[in-house]
Amino acid sequence: MNEVREGGATHRPHQGSRLAIVILAAGKGTRLRSRRAKALHEVGGKTLLAHVIASAEKIVAPADIYAVVGHQADRVRAAVAHTGISFVEQAEQRGTGHAVEAAKDAIAGYENIIVLSGDAPLVSSQTIEELWQFHQAQGAAMTLTSAEPEEPTGYGRIVRGSPDSHEVTAIVEQKMLAPGQHAIREVNMGMYAFRTAALLRHLGRLAPDNPHAELYLTDMAHVLSAAGERVVAFRTDDASELLGANTIAELVALDARLRTATARRLMDSGVTIFRPETCVIDSEVEVGPDTVIDPFVQLLGHTRVGSDCRIRSYTVIENCTLGNGVIVRQSCVLAESTVADGADIGPFARFRPGCEIGEMVHVGNFVEVKKSKLAKGVKAGHLAYLGDSEIGAATNIGAGVITCNYDGVKKHLTRIGAGSFVGSDSTLVAPLTVGDGTYIGAGSCITKDVPADALAVGRARQVTKEGWAAARRAKHPPKEQVDSKSRRAS
Ligand code: UD1
Ligand code: CA
């Protein structure tokens, strides 16, 4: 198994596991007309391959998961490394049969393997599970999964031994169909189970005798059946699971389908989504019951939203965790941050990565927060920048307050205690510590630490010269005012 590389953390080969799942993901995806490998294209906010891995991981039987990678192999590996699956490399892509051949050392130790297409993201763990059960019950050398989609054109067709037996004698690809076979409506979904010994014994018989000169895994149906091995079809009702992303149009249609399904899943669990067709919600997103999502909201990545929240229109939330009873008003952009219960955010607030927003905090209009901790009840209502800061409970941040966190070389921390009041338009030059219960006068530039309970004012003293403006006007009468005065007089 020397060509197998372990991916990373979560998925470890099961001790004594008898089943491997091999996901074919080496193809370029020529019909996508993209420079990016097919497996890397995203639907529902996740790569095609990641969807297939997620379904494979959920089956009950312990199974080791392998992906066959080839085109842009390093990038594909990196994109799904977090799942911990193993990889096999198919350096040159010479067909689905050739891809399985590339994995033959890796699979040799398993009694059975399941083969999935890395470009069919709707495949469900339930269907994989049923295929696996059927394969075992039938004692077959090869079990393929079939369905009857409304439009069978383009798919491999199933040739059965007799109409009412499970047995299959061949799968015939579209371009190889004999005249009488165009009428066959039952198609190959591209998911198979094999008894590994039978597969490996006969795999060498695949021949590139087709218009693309490739080795087709589908030809194993005929090869095994002709060799007297049992080949059967497991027929599913849900033909949609076979939908692949072969073109951008198909990819976009799959994305819409997945997002509709995600919105549906959330609504079924008690989330109100008004005009769900306008919202973009990634597959992994979780939302608690009684939360209301307004039109044109985007919830992306691993975002978790608690219950009883309200997310208003045009807000985009990516990889954030929100507690319960949080309101996010219109047009906020929140990324990689946590927001505790009862917080009131926006409109027009921006959280850059690394914010920890406490309970009942209010962050309002045009406030940008980056890598900052705002304790319970902090208020920053308007036009502030809080970067690399820690702000104690119930402190009030006035309009236009700025933490000057960057000296051109390094970032520095600003600490402000609890129960303090930072006057409007103050600049706090970090590194800086301001104690609890302090007042900072409006318009201050604070460069030195402020002890608890102090008042700090750092601004030029006001000079007032009485009569100065009137004297100036008398000397240089402003033209416009003269005109308007004369107009009023006339
Ligand atoms: C395949 C089946 C077809 C079936 C359809 C269902 C074959 C010959 N045909 O056609 O009967 O109806 O799936 O969707 O298998 N791949 C590799 N290495 C290669 C070639 C392909 O890893 O050398 C991967 C691709 O990246 C893809 C998967 O195998 O993820 C399927 O290949 P694809 O070319 O999409 O096959 P289809 O034309 O869809
Ligand atoms: Ca395909």
Side-chain angles (χ1 to χ4, degrees):
M1 293 227 279
N2 50 9
E3 60 190 323
V4 178
R5 283 210 234 158
E6 289 301 316
T10 56
H11 188 93
R12 289 260 158 269
H14 300 87
Q15 209 70 51
S17 162
R18 314 308 310 268
L19 176 65
I21 299 180
V22 180
I23 304 171
L24 307 185
K28 182 168 188 277
T30 311
R31 284 169 286 171
L32 287 171
R33 304 197 193 293
S34 162
R35 281 187 296 265
R36 214 167 355 132
K38 193 181 204 177
L40 292 171
H41 280 263
E42 289 187 8
V43 292
K46 218 159 63 167
T47 63
L48 292 170
L49 180 55
H51 281 282
V52 181
I53 293 171
S55 292
E57 275 174 340
K58 277 191 224 127
I59 74 160
V60 179
D64 296 339
I65 302 175
Y66 296 83
V68 179
V69 295
H71 193 72
Q72 296 179 343
D74 289 341
R75 288 178 59 190
V76 176
R77 263 197 202 99
V80 296
H82 63 280
T83 62
I85 66 161
S86 304
F87 299 96
V88 170
E89 191 140 348
Q90 182 195 17
E92 237 188 300
Q93 291 84 54
R94 289 169 42 215
T96 45
H98 182 252
V100 170
E101 204 176 281
K104 67 175 194 281
D105 289 348
I107 61 178
Y110 297 91
E111 199 174 344
N112 289 280
I113 65 162
I114 289 173
V115 178
L116 304 174
S117 290
D119 67 343
L122 299 186
V123 60
S124 70
S125 52
Q126 193 192 333
T127 301
I128 303 171
E129 189 81 51
E130 286 169 5
L131 161 68
W132 173 229
Q133 298 300 337
F134 190 87
H135 175 70
Q136 293 174 97
Q138 290 288 319
M142 173 179 185
T143 305
L144 56 93
T145 317
S146 74
E148 276 198 22
E150 279 182 21
E151 181 52 75
T153 307
Y155 295 107
R157 309 301 162 78
I158 308 299
V159 181
R160 287 193 180 242
S162 76
D164 35 52
S165 97
H166 292 306
E167 273 174 65
V168 168
T169 55
I171 303 171
V172 185
E173 293 301 301
Q174 178 74 30
K175 286 190 177 158
M176 315 278 284
L177 289 174
Q181 292 173 328
H182 284 270
I184 302 175
R185 304 197 57 86
E186 186 181 12
V187 309
N188 168 33
M189 293 181 75
M191 306 165 54
Y192 323 82
F194 290 97
R195 192 172 347 104
T196 316
L199 171 71
L200 293 181
R201 195 176 322 123
H202 298 284
L203 194 58
R205 296 204 196 168
L206 288 181
D209 51 2
N210 53 65
H212 293 285
E214 289 188 345
L215 298 178
Y216 286 169
L217 185 60
T218 46
D219 286 346
M220 283 313 294
H222 178 67
V223 166
L224 287 169
S225 157
E229 297 281 0
R230 184 166 169 78
V231 179
V232 297
F234 164 65
R235 200 189 189 113
T236 70
D237 300 331
D238 189 0
S240 70
E241 284 191 32
L242 115 151
L243 293 174
N246 297 303
T247 63
I248 295 289
E250 284 179 11
L251 183 97
V252 171
L254 279 179
D255 178 75
R257 195 181 258 273
L258 276 163
R259 291 189 191 286
T260 304
T262 304
R264 189 60 214 247
R265 164 173 67 82
L266 295 177
M267 290 191 283
D268 286 348
S269 68
V271 181
T272 302
I273 307 176
F274 289 118
R275 307 290 305 272
E277 71 280 14
T278 66
C279 294
V280 177
I281 305 178
D282 283 352
S283 309
E284 312 266 290
V285 169
E286 297 292 348
V287 182
D290 291 312
T291 285
V292 178
I293 297 172
D294 283 338
F296 298 101
V297 163
Q298 301 197 7
L299 302 178
L300 308 175
H302 298 281
T303 293
R304 301 262 176 287
V305 177
S307 51
D308 296 298
C309 294
R310 180 88 192 222
I311 315 291
R312 308 303 302 261
S313 295
Y314 312 112
T315 281
V316 180
I317 305 179
E318 184 161 16
N319 295 325
C320 289
T321 301
L322 275 55
N324 302 322
V326 173
I327 174 157
V328 184
R329 297 171 195 277
Q330 288 85 344
S331 302
C332 292
V333 180
L334 314 182
E336 331 251 323
S337 292
T338 60
V339 180
D341 296 353
D344 176 348
I345 310 301
F348 301 104
R350 163 112 193 261
F351 294 166
R352 287 163 52 203
C355 296
E356 291 174 39
I357 306 298
E359 279 174 48
M360 311 299 288
V361 163
H362 171 55
V363 175
N365 311 265
F366 306 104
V367 174
E368 176 181 348
V369 190
K370 188 217 89 176
K371 205 175 174 188
S372 289
K373 281 187 196 166
L374 276 55
K376 185 173 180 175
V378 165
K379 287 190 169 51
H382 340 256
L383 300 157
Y385 171 61
L386 302 172
D388 303 298
S389 66
E390 286 176 20
I391 302 175
T395 283
N396 188 93
I397 303 291
V401 167
I402 288 174
T403 55
C404 307
N405 59 329
Y406 186 50
D407 62 9
V409 183
K410 275 190 181 160
K411 302 279 168 62
H412 300 281
L413 192 66
T414 300
R415 282 199 187 85
I416 303 172
S420 292
F421 179 95
V422 182
S424 293
D425 207 24
S426 292
T427 50
L428 306 170
V429 182
L432 186 72
T433 301
V434 175
D436 293 342
T438 55
Y439 263 77
I440 306 286
S444 292
C445 176
I446 302 294
T447 56
K448 289 190 265 228
D449 289 355
V450 180
D453 300 317
L455 164 70
V457 185
R459 63 188 180 216
R461 270 185 187 283
Q462 182 171 331
V463 177
T464 306
K465 296 185 177 176
E466 280 187 36
W468 186 92
R472 186 178 190 278
R473 266 197 309 277
K475 205 168 167 189
H476 310 282
K479 201 162 181 304
E480 240 171 75
Q481 273 187 20
V482 172
D483 288 351
S484 60
K485 260 187 199 157
S486 55
R487 254 201 312 276
R488 248 180 281 143
S490 63

